Short mmCIF file of all heavy atoms in Angstrom, two decimals:
data_model
loop_
_atom_site.label_atom_id
_atom_site.label_comp_id
_atom_site.label_asym_id
_atom_site.label_seq_id
_atom_site.Cartn_x
_atom_site.Cartn_y
_atom_site.Cartn_z
N LEU A 289 138.51 82.08 162.51
CA LEU A 289 139.78 82.02 163.24
C LEU A 289 139.80 83.04 164.38
O LEU A 289 140.25 82.76 165.49
CB LEU A 289 140.95 82.26 162.30
CG LEU A 289 141.31 81.09 161.36
CD1 LEU A 289 142.38 81.53 160.36
CD2 LEU A 289 141.81 79.90 162.16
N ARG A 293 140.25 82.37 168.36
CA ARG A 293 141.29 83.02 169.16
C ARG A 293 140.69 83.79 170.33
O ARG A 293 141.13 83.65 171.48
CB ARG A 293 142.11 83.98 168.27
CG ARG A 293 143.25 84.70 169.01
CD ARG A 293 143.72 85.88 168.19
NE ARG A 293 142.61 86.85 168.00
CZ ARG A 293 142.71 87.90 167.18
NH1 ARG A 293 143.80 88.12 166.46
NH2 ARG A 293 141.68 88.73 167.06
N LEU A 297 140.25 79.27 172.22
CA LEU A 297 140.37 77.90 171.71
C LEU A 297 141.66 77.69 170.92
O LEU A 297 142.09 76.55 170.73
CB LEU A 297 139.16 77.57 170.83
CG LEU A 297 137.80 77.60 171.55
CD1 LEU A 297 136.68 77.37 170.58
CD2 LEU A 297 137.77 76.56 172.66
N ILE A 298 142.25 78.74 170.40
CA ILE A 298 143.56 78.67 169.77
C ILE A 298 144.40 79.84 170.28
O ILE A 298 143.87 80.86 170.75
CB ILE A 298 143.47 78.71 168.22
CG1 ILE A 298 142.86 80.03 167.75
CG2 ILE A 298 142.69 77.52 167.70
CD1 ILE A 298 142.85 80.19 166.23
N THR A 299 145.70 79.68 170.19
CA THR A 299 146.60 80.74 170.64
C THR A 299 146.75 81.80 169.56
O THR A 299 146.37 81.59 168.39
CB THR A 299 147.98 80.15 170.97
OG1 THR A 299 148.57 79.65 169.76
CG2 THR A 299 147.87 79.03 172.02
N GLY A 300 147.34 82.94 169.96
CA GLY A 300 147.61 83.98 168.97
C GLY A 300 148.56 83.50 167.89
O GLY A 300 148.41 83.85 166.71
N ARG A 301 149.51 82.66 168.29
CA ARG A 301 150.45 82.14 167.29
C ARG A 301 149.74 81.24 166.29
O ARG A 301 149.98 81.31 165.08
CB ARG A 301 151.54 81.35 168.01
CG ARG A 301 152.60 80.74 167.08
CD ARG A 301 153.72 80.10 167.87
NE ARG A 301 154.65 79.45 167.00
CZ ARG A 301 154.53 78.19 166.56
NH1 ARG A 301 153.48 77.50 166.93
NH2 ARG A 301 155.44 77.66 165.76
N GLU A 302 148.82 80.41 166.80
CA GLU A 302 148.06 79.55 165.89
C GLU A 302 147.18 80.38 164.96
O GLU A 302 147.04 80.06 163.77
CB GLU A 302 147.19 78.57 166.69
CG GLU A 302 147.99 77.50 167.41
CD GLU A 302 147.14 76.68 168.35
OE1 GLU A 302 146.12 77.21 168.84
OE2 GLU A 302 147.48 75.51 168.59
N PHE A 303 146.60 81.45 165.50
CA PHE A 303 145.78 82.33 164.67
C PHE A 303 146.61 82.92 163.53
O PHE A 303 146.19 82.91 162.37
CB PHE A 303 145.17 83.45 165.52
CG PHE A 303 144.55 84.54 164.70
CD1 PHE A 303 143.30 84.37 164.12
CD2 PHE A 303 145.22 85.75 164.47
CE1 PHE A 303 142.72 85.38 163.34
CE2 PHE A 303 144.66 86.75 163.70
CZ PHE A 303 143.41 86.57 163.14
N ASP A 304 147.82 83.45 163.89
CA ASP A 304 148.67 84.07 162.86
C ASP A 304 149.05 83.05 161.80
O ASP A 304 149.05 83.35 160.59
CB ASP A 304 149.93 84.66 163.51
CG ASP A 304 149.60 85.86 164.41
OD1 ASP A 304 148.54 86.47 164.19
OD2 ASP A 304 150.41 86.16 165.31
N PHE A 305 149.38 81.83 162.23
CA PHE A 305 149.81 80.81 161.27
C PHE A 305 148.66 80.45 160.31
O PHE A 305 148.85 80.42 159.09
CB PHE A 305 150.27 79.57 162.02
CG PHE A 305 150.64 78.43 161.09
CD1 PHE A 305 151.91 78.35 160.52
CD2 PHE A 305 149.70 77.46 160.75
CE1 PHE A 305 152.22 77.32 159.65
CE2 PHE A 305 150.02 76.44 159.89
CZ PHE A 305 151.28 76.36 159.33
N ARG A 306 147.48 80.22 160.88
CA ARG A 306 146.37 79.81 160.03
C ARG A 306 145.90 80.94 159.11
O ARG A 306 145.54 80.70 157.97
CB ARG A 306 145.19 79.34 160.90
CG ARG A 306 145.41 77.97 161.50
CD ARG A 306 145.62 76.94 160.41
NE ARG A 306 145.90 75.63 160.94
CZ ARG A 306 146.27 74.60 160.20
NH1 ARG A 306 146.42 74.77 158.92
NH2 ARG A 306 146.52 73.45 160.77
N LYS A 307 145.96 82.16 159.63
CA LYS A 307 145.58 83.30 158.78
C LYS A 307 146.53 83.42 157.59
O LYS A 307 146.11 83.62 156.45
CB LYS A 307 145.57 84.58 159.60
CG LYS A 307 145.22 85.82 158.79
CD LYS A 307 145.23 87.07 159.67
CE LYS A 307 144.95 88.32 158.85
NZ LYS A 307 145.00 89.55 159.66
N LYS A 308 147.84 83.29 157.88
CA LYS A 308 148.83 83.37 156.80
C LYS A 308 148.63 82.24 155.81
O LYS A 308 148.72 82.42 154.59
CB LYS A 308 150.25 83.30 157.39
CG LYS A 308 151.36 83.41 156.33
CD LYS A 308 152.71 83.37 156.99
CE LYS A 308 153.81 83.55 155.92
NZ LYS A 308 153.77 82.56 154.86
N ASP A 309 148.30 81.03 156.33
CA ASP A 309 148.08 79.89 155.45
C ASP A 309 146.89 80.14 154.52
O ASP A 309 146.94 79.84 153.32
CB ASP A 309 147.83 78.64 156.30
CG ASP A 309 147.69 77.39 155.45
OD1 ASP A 309 148.64 77.06 154.71
OD2 ASP A 309 146.62 76.75 155.50
N THR A 322 159.14 74.40 156.13
CA THR A 322 159.15 74.78 157.54
C THR A 322 157.74 75.06 158.04
O THR A 322 157.35 74.63 159.12
CB THR A 322 160.00 76.05 157.75
OG1 THR A 322 161.31 75.79 157.27
CG2 THR A 322 160.04 76.42 159.23
N ALA A 323 156.95 75.69 157.22
CA ALA A 323 155.58 75.99 157.62
C ALA A 323 154.78 74.70 157.84
O ALA A 323 153.98 74.61 158.77
CB ALA A 323 154.89 76.85 156.58
N ARG A 324 155.02 73.72 157.00
CA ARG A 324 154.30 72.47 157.16
C ARG A 324 154.69 71.78 158.46
O ARG A 324 153.84 71.24 159.16
CB ARG A 324 154.60 71.52 156.00
CG ARG A 324 154.00 71.96 154.68
CD ARG A 324 154.42 70.99 153.58
NE ARG A 324 153.91 71.42 152.29
CZ ARG A 324 152.70 71.13 151.83
NH1 ARG A 324 151.88 70.43 152.57
NH2 ARG A 324 152.31 71.56 150.65
N LEU A 325 155.94 71.78 158.76
CA LEU A 325 156.41 71.08 159.94
C LEU A 325 155.96 71.76 161.23
O LEU A 325 155.74 71.10 162.23
CB LEU A 325 157.95 70.99 159.93
CG LEU A 325 158.53 70.07 158.85
CD1 LEU A 325 160.04 70.19 158.83
CD2 LEU A 325 158.12 68.64 159.10
N THR A 326 155.85 73.10 161.19
CA THR A 326 155.51 73.79 162.42
C THR A 326 154.03 74.11 162.54
O THR A 326 153.61 74.74 163.47
CB THR A 326 156.29 75.12 162.50
OG1 THR A 326 155.96 75.90 161.35
CG2 THR A 326 157.78 74.86 162.55
N ALA A 327 153.21 73.67 161.56
CA ALA A 327 151.78 73.98 161.58
C ALA A 327 151.11 73.37 162.80
O ALA A 327 151.27 72.18 163.07
CB ALA A 327 151.11 73.45 160.32
N PRO A 328 150.43 74.17 163.59
CA PRO A 328 149.70 73.61 164.75
C PRO A 328 148.52 72.76 164.26
O PRO A 328 147.92 73.06 163.24
CB PRO A 328 149.20 74.86 165.48
CG PRO A 328 149.12 75.92 164.43
CD PRO A 328 150.25 75.63 163.49
N GLU A 329 148.18 71.71 164.98
CA GLU A 329 147.16 70.77 164.52
C GLU A 329 145.80 71.00 165.17
O GLU A 329 144.79 70.59 164.65
CB GLU A 329 147.60 69.33 164.84
CG GLU A 329 148.90 68.97 164.09
CD GLU A 329 149.36 67.56 164.45
OE1 GLU A 329 148.69 66.93 165.28
OE2 GLU A 329 150.36 67.11 163.88
N SER A 330 145.73 71.63 166.30
CA SER A 330 144.47 71.67 167.05
C SER A 330 143.32 72.33 166.33
O SER A 330 142.19 71.89 166.45
CB SER A 330 144.68 72.34 168.40
OG SER A 330 145.22 73.65 168.21
N PRO A 331 143.50 73.43 165.56
CA PRO A 331 142.32 74.06 164.95
C PRO A 331 141.85 73.39 163.68
O PRO A 331 140.81 73.75 163.14
CB PRO A 331 142.81 75.49 164.67
CG PRO A 331 144.27 75.34 164.45
CD PRO A 331 144.73 74.25 165.37
#
Side-chain angles (χ1 to χ4, degrees):
L289 286 173
R293 181 196 61 188
L297 298 175
I298 62 175
T299 65
R301 180 174 176 273
E302 289 172 333
F303 169 78
D304 292 337
F305 176 85
R306 285 300 177 188
K307 178 180 177 182
K308 182 179 182 303
D309 185 59
T322 302
R324 290 177 183 275
L325 291 174
T326 58
E329 298 178 357
S330 57

